[in-house]
Amino acid sequence: MSKKTILVVEDEADIRELIQFNLEQEGYAVLTAGTGEEALAVAGKSSPDLIVLDLMLPGIDGLQVCRELSAKTIPILMVTAKSSDADIVLGLEMGAEDYITKPFSPRVLIARVRAILRRRENFGKKAAQQDCVIHKGIKIDAARHVVSSDDSRIELSATEFSILEFLIQNPGWVFSRNQIIESCKSSDYTVTERSVDVQILSIRKKLGEKGALIETVRGIGYRMAE
Ligand code: CA
């Protein structure tokens, strides 16, 4: 899986470095800019996957940067001082996806970044896929995030849902555990090869009789029966 690139825009060097450090620790590639002008130049050249943008910048106003960058459909996480609700509202209206107020903990920052990237990914997926898939009596309503089997509702966790959705969209195809992990990497749960087995076991149980439709392909992985 390729590294996501994040552009950090902040004029205060120590804060910028702190954000950069924390994002890099999480495996993101990080670009930095100290001014709005620089941010626009860097974003224009390298189209990052997300921008962490401090609104308090010298030169071009952060909100102006926000407006120009969101026009390029790059998701933006605004960084604002506390008690600047008006700026936050304005920023959101100008196209920022979310905001975080100073001072913030690195964990909160990372969580917000992840959430935005996940949202973007799911958005892309949903646009490409049908909203509703029915296969052998199992119905997946992706838009409403609901699964039913012969019209009775099945309660699945987010990860189980992702896995089942992935398999059911590709009946007859066998997937390795790693492919299954990749398919649901947008969910919060960290999936490992071993835990794929656990998830599959749980999905089968919840599906009852239809659980047998998820076939184990020995030595390779799993497949939804055609
Ligand atoms: Ca600043």
Side-chain angles (χ1 to χ4, degrees), residues 14-34:
D14 52 343
I15 299 178
R16 189 172 63 232
E17 280 158 22
L18 182 73
I19 296 175
Q20 176 175 16
F21 173 79
N22 282 289
L23 290 173
E24 284 176 348
Q25 287 286 101
E26 287 299 309
Y28 297 110
V30 176
L31 301 168
T32 58

Side-chain angles (χ1 to χ4, degrees), residues 43-201:
K45 215 165 45 187
S46 50
S47 40
D49 297 292
L50 185 147
I51 299 171
V52 176
L53 173 68
D54 185 41
L55 290 185
M56 292 287 285
L57 294 169
I60 306 183
D61 175 27
L63 286 172
Q64 183 60 33
V65 177
C66 185
R67 190 209 300 271
E68 296 201 22
L69 291 177
S70 63
K72 295 184 200 289
T73 72
I74 301 171
I76 295 169
L77 173 62
M78 294 182 285
V79 180
T80 69
K82 255 188 188 156
S83 75
S84 53
D85 293 358
D87 277 354
I88 293 169
V89 171
L90 217 52
L92 292 174
E93 287 170 356
M94 283 183 183
E97 292 228 354
D98 204 351
Y99 69 93
I100 187 168
T101 53
K102 283 179 176 176
F104 52 82
S105 81
R107 290 183 62 173
V108 172
L109 171 79
I110 299 295
R112 295 287 167 82
V113 164
R114 278 210 194 115
I116 293 175
L117 291 173
R118 188 170 58 230
R119 221 181 288 151
R120 283 286 166 136
E121 237 167 64
N122 289 341
F123 180 74
K125 260 193 226 158
K126 263 173 202 150
Q129 295 165 354
Q130 298 159 278
D131 276 347
C132 221
V133 185
I134 304 171
H135 181 68
K136 295 186 183 284
I138 304 171
K139 180 177 168 187
I140 297 200
D141 184 336
R144 287 165 57 225
H145 221 78
V146 170
V147 176
S148 52
S149 171
D150 291 334
D151 293 328
S152 58
R153 190 168 165 156
I154 313 269
E155 297 297 334
L156 295 181
S157 72
T159 304
E160 290 168 352
F161 184 92
S162 302
I163 292 174
L164 182 61
E165 185 183 31
F166 177 63
L167 291 175
I168 226 164
Q169 277 166 343
N170 305 282
W173 285 77
V174 56
F175 294 104
S176 71
R177 289 175 178 78
N178 266 321
Q179 284 176 303
I180 293 170
I181 292 165
E182 282 294 301
S183 79
C184 61
K185 67 187 174 201
S186 60
S187 85
D188 287 317
Y189 186 79
T190 313
V191 187
T192 61
E193 291 216 10
R194 270 277 68 103
S195 69
V196 168
D197 297 339
V198 176
Q199 301 280 348
I200 294 275
L201 201 68

